[in-house]
PDB file of all heavy atoms in Angstrom:
ATOM      1  N   PHE A 114     102.320 123.407  97.722  1.00 92.00           N
ATOM      2  CA  PHE A 114     101.841 124.237  96.608  1.00 92.00           C
ATOM      3  C   PHE A 114     102.560 125.578  96.602  1.00 92.00           C
ATOM      4  O   PHE A 114     103.068 126.019  95.574  1.00 92.00           O
ATOM      5  CB  PHE A 114     100.322 124.445  96.716  1.00 92.00           C
ATOM      6  CG  PHE A 114      99.798 125.509  95.796  1.00 92.00           C
ATOM      7  CD1 PHE A 114      99.707 125.269  94.430  1.00 92.00           C
ATOM      8  CD2 PHE A 114      99.421 126.746  96.281  1.00 92.00           C
ATOM      9  CE1 PHE A 114      99.233 126.257  93.568  1.00 92.00           C
ATOM     10  CE2 PHE A 114      98.946 127.736  95.434  1.00 92.00           C
ATOM     11  CZ  PHE A 114      98.857 127.490  94.059  1.00 92.00           C
ATOM     12  N   ILE A 115     102.629 126.213  97.761  1.00 91.00           N
ATOM     13  CA  ILE A 115     103.272 127.528  97.853  1.00 91.00           C
ATOM     14  C   ILE A 115     104.762 127.430  97.542  1.00 91.00           C
ATOM     15  O   ILE A 115     105.300 128.220  96.767  1.00 91.00           O
ATOM     16  CB  ILE A 115     103.041 128.138  99.251  1.00 91.00           C
ATOM     17  CG1 ILE A 115     101.556 128.470  99.430  1.00 91.00           C
ATOM     18  CG2 ILE A 115     103.905 129.379  99.458  1.00 91.00           C
ATOM     19  CD1 ILE A 115     101.168 128.778 100.868  1.00 91.00           C
ATOM     20  N   ASN A 116     105.437 126.443  98.129  1.00 90.00           N
ATOM     21  CA  ASN A 116     106.894 126.340  97.983  1.00 90.00           C
ATOM     22  C   ASN A 116     107.342 125.823  96.626  1.00 90.00           C
ATOM     23  O   ASN A 116     108.423 126.171  96.150  1.00 90.00           O
ATOM     24  CB  ASN A 116     107.473 125.440  99.081  1.00 90.00           C
ATOM     25  CG  ASN A 116     107.370 126.068 100.446  1.00 90.00           C
ATOM     26  OD1 ASN A 116     107.306 127.279 100.587  1.00 90.00           O
ATOM     27  ND2 ASN A 116     107.325 125.232 101.462  1.00 90.00           N
ATOM     28  N   GLU A 117     106.539 124.963  96.013  1.00 87.00           N
ATOM     29  CA  GLU A 117     106.996 124.318  94.791  1.00 87.00           C
ATOM     30  C   GLU A 117     106.297 124.812  93.519  1.00 87.00           C
ATOM     31  O   GLU A 117     106.872 124.766  92.443  1.00 87.00           O
ATOM     32  CB  GLU A 117     106.810 122.801  94.909  1.00 87.00           C
ATOM     33  CG  GLU A 117     107.483 122.034  93.785  1.00 87.00           C
ATOM     34  CD  GLU A 117     107.455 120.535  94.006  1.00 87.00           C
ATOM     35  OE1 GLU A 117     107.455 120.094  95.159  1.00 87.00           O
ATOM     36  OE2 GLU A 117     107.450 119.820  93.002  1.00 87.00           O
ATOM     37  N   TRP A 118     105.049 125.278  93.655  1.00 87.00           N
ATOM     38  CA  TRP A 118     104.270 125.589  92.453  1.00 87.00           C
ATOM     39  C   TRP A 118     103.904 127.053  92.297  1.00 87.00           C
ATOM     40  O   TRP A 118     104.132 127.637  91.241  1.00 87.00           O
ATOM     41  CB  TRP A 118     102.989 124.734  92.430  1.00 87.00           C
ATOM     42  CG  TRP A 118     103.316 123.293  92.320  1.00 87.00           C
ATOM     43  CD1 TRP A 118     103.389 122.378  93.345  1.00 87.00           C
ATOM     44  CD2 TRP A 118     103.692 122.585  91.148  1.00 87.00           C
ATOM     45  NE1 TRP A 118     103.775 121.162  92.864  1.00 87.00           N
ATOM     46  CE2 TRP A 118     103.955 121.257  91.519  1.00 87.00           C
ATOM     47  CE3 TRP A 118     103.818 122.948  89.808  1.00 87.00           C
ATOM     48  CZ2 TRP A 118     104.345 120.294  90.608  1.00 87.00           C
ATOM     49  CZ3 TRP A 118     104.192 121.993  88.894  1.00 87.00           C
ATOM     50  CH2 TRP A 118     104.461 120.683  89.291  1.00 87.00           C
ATOM     51  N   TYR A 119     103.336 127.649  93.313  1.00 87.00           N
ATOM     52  CA  TYR A 119     102.773 128.990  93.211  1.00 87.00           C
ATOM     53  C   TYR A 119     103.833 129.998  92.769  1.00 87.00           C
ATOM     54  O   TYR A 119     104.860 130.145  93.407  1.00 87.00           O
ATOM     55  CB  TYR A 119     102.157 129.399  94.553  1.00 87.00           C
ATOM     56  CG  TYR A 119     101.406 130.700  94.509  1.00 87.00           C
ATOM     57  CD1 TYR A 119     100.348 130.872  93.630  1.00 87.00           C
ATOM     58  CD2 TYR A 119     101.752 131.748  95.345  1.00 87.00           C
ATOM     59  CE1 TYR A 119      99.648 132.060  93.599  1.00 87.00           C
ATOM     60  CE2 TYR A 119     101.051 132.942  95.316  1.00 87.00           C
ATOM     61  CZ  TYR A 119     100.007 133.087  94.442  1.00 87.00           C
ATOM     62  OH  TYR A 119      99.313 134.275  94.397  1.00 87.00           O
ATOM     63  N   ASN A 120     103.554 130.653  91.651  1.00 83.00           N
ATOM     64  CA  ASN A 120     104.466 131.645  91.063  1.00 83.00           C
ATOM     65  C   ASN A 120     105.831 131.077  90.693  1.00 83.00           C
ATOM     66  O   ASN A 120     106.786 131.823  90.530  1.00 83.00           O
ATOM     67  CB  ASN A 120     104.666 132.851  91.999  1.00 83.00           C
ATOM     68  CG  ASN A 120     103.421 133.698  92.097  1.00 83.00           C
ATOM     69  OD1 ASN A 120     102.604 133.726  91.178  1.00 83.00           O
ATOM     70  ND2 ASN A 120     103.262 134.380  93.203  1.00 83.00           N
ATOM     71  N   GLN A 121     105.945 129.739  90.567  1.00 82.00           N
ATOM     72  CA  GLN A 121     107.239 129.151  90.247  1.00 82.00           C
ATOM     73  C   GLN A 121     107.205 128.241  89.034  1.00 82.00           C
ATOM     74  O   GLN A 121     108.174 128.168  88.295  1.00 82.00           O
ATOM     75  CB  GLN A 121     107.763 128.367  91.462  1.00 82.00           C
ATOM     76  CG  GLN A 121     108.033 129.262  92.653  1.00 82.00           C
ATOM     77  CD  GLN A 121     108.527 128.486  93.836  1.00 82.00           C
ATOM     78  OE1 GLN A 121     109.466 127.716  93.708  1.00 82.00           O
ATOM     79  NE2 GLN A 121     107.899 128.685  94.979  1.00 82.00           N
ATOM     80  N   GLN A 122     106.133 127.503  88.861  1.00 82.00           N
ATOM     81  CA  GLN A 122     106.043 126.571  87.751  1.00 82.00           C
ATOM     82  C   GLN A 122     104.661 126.708  87.115  1.00 82.00           C
ATOM     83  O   GLN A 122     103.736 127.206  87.734  1.00 82.00           O
ATOM     84  CB  GLN A 122     106.219 125.121  88.235  1.00 82.00           C
ATOM     85  CG  GLN A 122     107.560 124.837  88.857  1.00 82.00           C
ATOM     86  CD  GLN A 122     107.706 123.363  89.164  1.00 82.00           C
ATOM     87  OE1 GLN A 122     107.507 122.524  88.302  1.00 82.00           O
ATOM     88  NE2 GLN A 122     108.055 123.035  90.402  1.00 82.00           N
ATOM     89  N   GLU A 123     104.555 126.215  85.903  1.00 88.00           N
ATOM     90  CA  GLU A 123     103.259 126.235  85.235  1.00 88.00           C
ATOM     91  C   GLU A 123     102.387 125.108  85.762  1.00 88.00           C
ATOM     92  O   GLU A 123     102.854 123.992  85.960  1.00 88.00           O
ATOM     93  CB  GLU A 123     103.425 126.094  83.723  1.00 88.00           C
ATOM     94  CG  GLU A 123     103.917 127.358  83.069  1.00 88.00           C
ATOM     95  CD  GLU A 123     103.759 127.291  81.569  1.00 88.00           C
ATOM     96  OE1 GLU A 123     102.644 126.990  81.096  1.00 88.00           O
ATOM     97  OE2 GLU A 123     104.758 127.521  80.885  1.00 88.00           O
ATOM     98  N   TYR A 124     101.149 125.424  85.991  1.00 91.00           N
ATOM     99  CA  TYR A 124     100.173 124.436  86.433  1.00 91.00           C
ATOM    100  C   TYR A 124      98.786 124.951  86.076  1.00 91.00           C
ATOM    101  O   TYR A 124      98.608 126.134  85.775  1.00 91.00           O
ATOM    102  CB  TYR A 124     100.262 124.190  87.955  1.00 91.00           C
ATOM    103  CG  TYR A 124     100.012 125.438  88.770  1.00 91.00           C
ATOM    104  CD1 TYR A 124      98.712 125.776  89.170  1.00 91.00           C
ATOM    105  CD2 TYR A 124     101.052 126.283  89.130  1.00 91.00           C
ATOM    106  CE1 TYR A 124      98.477 126.938  89.895  1.00 91.00           C
ATOM    107  CE2 TYR A 124     100.812 127.436  89.853  1.00 91.00           C
ATOM    108  CZ  TYR A 124      99.523 127.752  90.235  1.00 91.00           C
ATOM    109  OH  TYR A 124      99.287 128.888  90.949  1.00 91.00           O
ATOM    110  N   LEU A 125      97.819 124.074  86.118  1.00 93.00           N
ATOM    111  CA  LEU A 125      96.431 124.440  85.909  1.00 93.00           C
ATOM    112  C   LEU A 125      95.688 124.135  87.197  1.00 93.00           C
ATOM    113  O   LEU A 125      95.729 123.006  87.684  1.00 93.00           O
ATOM    114  CB  LEU A 125      95.847 123.637  84.742  1.00 93.00           C
ATOM    115  CG  LEU A 125      94.391 123.904  84.371  1.00 93.00           C
ATOM    116  CD1 LEU A 125      94.198 125.348  83.927  1.00 93.00           C
ATOM    117  CD2 LEU A 125      93.961 122.960  83.259  1.00 93.00           C
ATOM    118  N   LEU A 126      95.057 125.139  87.772  1.00 94.00           N
ATOM    119  CA  LEU A 126      94.274 124.965  88.983  1.00 94.00           C
ATOM    120  C   LEU A 126      92.840 124.644  88.562  1.00 94.00           C
ATOM    121  O   LEU A 126      92.220 125.409  87.822  1.00 94.00           O
ATOM    122  CB  LEU A 126      94.334 126.245  89.807  1.00 94.00           C
ATOM    123  CG  LEU A 126      94.003 126.197  91.286  1.00 94.00           C
ATOM    124  CD1 LEU A 126      94.825 125.137  92.018  1.00 94.00           C
ATOM    125  CD2 LEU A 126      94.234 127.552  91.925  1.00 94.00           C
ATOM    126  N   VAL A 127      92.340 123.499  88.994  1.00 96.00           N
ATOM    127  CA  VAL A 127      91.029 123.008  88.561  1.00 96.00           C
ATOM    128  C   VAL A 127      90.101 122.917  89.770  1.00 96.00           C
ATOM    129  O   VAL A 127      90.384 122.192  90.717  1.00 96.00           O
ATOM    130  CB  VAL A 127      91.150 121.620  87.886  1.00 96.00           C
ATOM    131  CG1 VAL A 127      89.794 121.137  87.402  1.00 96.00           C
ATOM    132  CG2 VAL A 127      92.155 121.664  86.735  1.00 96.00           C
ATOM    133  N   ASP A 128      89.003 123.654  89.714  1.00 96.00           N
ATOM    134  CA  ASP A 128      88.001 123.640  90.779  1.00 96.00           C
ATOM    135  C   ASP A 128      86.894 122.687  90.354  1.00 96.00           C
ATOM    136  O   ASP A 128      86.216 122.921  89.354  1.00 96.00           O
ATOM    137  CB  ASP A 128      87.449 125.048  90.986  1.00 96.00           C
ATOM    138  CG  ASP A 128      86.599 125.182  92.232  1.00 96.00           C
ATOM    139  OD1 ASP A 128      86.027 124.157  92.685  1.00 96.00           O
ATOM    140  OD2 ASP A 128      86.483 126.311  92.743  1.00 96.00           O
ATOM    141  N   ILE A 129      86.729 121.590  91.091  1.00 96.00           N
ATOM    142  CA  ILE A 129      85.757 120.569  90.694  1.00 96.00           C
ATOM    143  C   ILE A 129      84.430 120.691  91.438  1.00 96.00           C
ATOM    144  O   ILE A 129      83.580 119.815  91.353  1.00 96.00           O
ATOM    145  CB  ILE A 129      86.329 119.145  90.881  1.00 96.00           C
ATOM    146  CG1 ILE A 129      86.646 118.869  92.355  1.00 96.00           C
ATOM    147  CG2 ILE A 129      87.552 118.941  89.999  1.00 96.00           C
ATOM    148  CD1 ILE A 129      86.824 117.395  92.663  1.00 96.00           C
ATOM    149  N   ARG A 130      84.239 121.803  92.141  1.00 95.00           N
ATOM    150  CA  ARG A 130      82.969 122.019  92.836  1.00 95.00           C
ATOM    151  C   ARG A 130      81.870 122.340  91.823  1.00 95.00           C
ATOM    152  O   ARG A 130      82.133 122.773  90.708  1.00 95.00           O
ATOM    153  CB  ARG A 130      83.090 123.169  93.838  1.00 95.00           C
ATOM    154  CG  ARG A 130      84.068 122.887  94.965  1.00 95.00           C
ATOM    155  CD  ARG A 130      84.196 124.074  95.888  1.00 95.00           C
ATOM    156  NE  ARG A 130      84.785 125.216  95.177  1.00 95.00           N
ATOM    157  CZ  ARG A 130      84.760 126.463  95.619  1.00 95.00           C
ATOM    158  NH1 ARG A 130      84.185 126.756  96.767  1.00 95.00           N
ATOM    159  NH2 ARG A 130      85.325 127.443  94.923  1.00 95.00           N
ATOM    160  N   GLU A 131      80.629 122.141  92.270  1.00 94.00           N
ATOM    161  CA  GLU A 131      79.481 122.513  91.449  1.00 94.00           C
ATOM    162  C   GLU A 131      79.421 124.038  91.349  1.00 94.00           C
ATOM    163  O   GLU A 131      79.850 124.748  92.264  1.00 94.00           O
ATOM    164  CB  GLU A 131      78.185 121.992  92.077  1.00 94.00           C
ATOM    165  CG  GLU A 131      78.124 120.483  92.195  1.00 94.00           C
ATOM    166  CD  GLU A 131      78.168 119.798  90.845  1.00 94.00           C
ATOM    167  OE1 GLU A 131      77.383 120.164  89.948  1.00 94.00           O
ATOM    168  OE2 GLU A 131      79.002 118.899  90.670  1.00 94.00           O
ATOM    169  N   GLN A 132      78.874 124.549  90.247  1.00 91.00           N
ATOM    170  CA  GLN A 132      78.807 125.999  90.047  1.00 91.00           C
ATOM    171  C   GLN A 132      78.077 126.689  91.197  1.00 91.00           C
ATOM    172  O   GLN A 132      78.482 127.763  91.646  1.00 91.00           O
ATOM    173  CB  GLN A 132      78.132 126.325  88.717  1.00 91.00           C
ATOM    174  CG  GLN A 132      78.275 127.775  88.314  1.00 91.00           C
ATOM    175  CD  GLN A 132      79.722 128.214  88.146  1.00 91.00           C
ATOM    176  OE1 GLN A 132      80.501 127.558  87.464  1.00 91.00           O
ATOM    177  NE2 GLN A 132      80.102 129.316  88.770  1.00 91.00           N
ATOM    178  N   GLU A 133      77.037 126.065  91.710  1.00 91.00           N
ATOM    179  CA  GLU A 133      76.289 126.639  92.831  1.00 91.00           C
ATOM    180  C   GLU A 133      77.172 126.790  94.071  1.00 91.00           C
ATOM    181  O   GLU A 133      77.073 127.787  94.790  1.00 91.00           O
ATOM    182  CB  GLU A 133      75.090 125.745  93.137  1.00 91.00           C
ATOM    183  CG  GLU A 133      74.160 126.312  94.178  1.00 91.00           C
ATOM    184  CD  GLU A 133      72.929 125.441  94.350  1.00 91.00           C
ATOM    185  OE1 GLU A 133      72.110 125.368  93.415  1.00 91.00           O
ATOM    186  OE2 GLU A 133      72.818 124.830  95.433  1.00 91.00           O
ATOM    187  N   GLU A 134      78.038 125.809  94.313  1.00 89.00           N
ATOM    188  CA  GLU A 134      78.958 125.894  95.452  1.00 89.00           C
ATOM    189  C   GLU A 134      79.926 127.054  95.282  1.00 89.00           C
ATOM    190  O   GLU A 134      80.236 127.761  96.244  1.00 89.00           O
ATOM    191  CB  GLU A 134      79.777 124.611  95.583  1.00 89.00           C
ATOM    192  CG  GLU A 134      79.037 123.409  96.056  1.00 89.00           C
ATOM    193  CD  GLU A 134      79.963 122.215  96.107  1.00 89.00           C
ATOM    194  OE1 GLU A 134      80.145 121.551  95.069  1.00 89.00           O
ATOM    195  OE2 GLU A 134      80.526 121.959  97.193  1.00 89.00           O
ATOM    196  N   ILE A 135      80.411 127.238  94.070  1.00 88.00           N
ATOM    197  CA  ILE A 135      81.352 128.321  93.783  1.00 88.00           C
ATOM    198  C   ILE A 135      80.657 129.670  93.968  1.00 88.00           C
ATOM    199  O   ILE A 135      81.199 130.587  94.579  1.00 88.00           O
ATOM    200  CB  ILE A 135      81.948 128.179  92.370  1.00 88.00           C
ATOM    201  CG1 ILE A 135      82.770 126.897  92.288  1.00 88.00           C
ATOM    202  CG2 ILE A 135      82.784 129.399  92.004  1.00 88.00           C
ATOM    203  CD1 ILE A 135      83.143 126.487  90.879  1.00 88.00           C
ATOM    204  N   ASN A 136      79.418 129.761  93.454  1.00 86.00           N
ATOM    205  CA  ASN A 136      78.661 131.013  93.574  1.00 86.00           C
ATOM    206  C   ASN A 136      78.355 131.359  95.024  1.00 86.00           C
ATOM    207  O   ASN A 136      78.329 132.528  95.393  1.00 86.00           O
ATOM    208  CB  ASN A 136      77.357 130.923  92.784  1.00 86.00           C
ATOM    209  CG  ASN A 136      77.591 130.808  91.288  1.00 86.00           C
ATOM    210  OD1 ASN A 136      78.670 131.083  90.786  1.00 86.00           O
ATOM    211  ND2 ASN A 136      76.572 130.383  90.573  1.00 86.00           N
ATOM    212  N   ASN A 137      78.108 130.349  95.852  1.00 84.00           N
ATOM    213  CA  ASN A 137      77.730 130.571  97.246  1.00 84.00           C
ATOM    214  C   ASN A 137      78.921 130.586  98.194  1.00 84.00           C
ATOM    215  O   ASN A 137      78.758 130.878  99.374  1.00 84.00           O
ATOM    216  CB  ASN A 137      76.745 129.491  97.713  1.00 84.00           C
ATOM    217  CG  ASN A 137      75.420 129.595  96.995  1.00 84.00           C
ATOM    218  OD1 ASN A 137      75.021 130.669  96.563  1.00 84.00           O
ATOM    219  ND2 ASN A 137      74.740 128.478  96.849  1.00 84.00           N
ATOM    220  N   GLY A 138      80.085 130.249  97.708  1.00 76.00           N
ATOM    221  CA  GLY A 138      81.264 130.186  98.562  1.00 76.00           C
ATOM    222  C   GLY A 138      82.352 131.100  98.064  1.00 76.00           C
ATOM    223  O   GLY A 138      82.088 132.177  97.531  1.00 76.00           O
TER     224      GLY A 138
END
Side-chain angles (χ1 to χ4, degrees):
F114 168 73
I115 293 167
N116 291 335
E117 190 172 330
W118 296 98
Y119 187 58
N120 290 334
Q121 296 179 51
Q122 298 186 53
E123 285 193 52
Y124 60 89
L125 181 62
L126 200 53
V127 182
D128 191 335
I129 62 163
R130 296 177 295 165
E131 298 297 309
Q132 192 60 50
E133 186 175 292
E134 289 179 275
I135 296 167
N136 294 344
N137 293 332

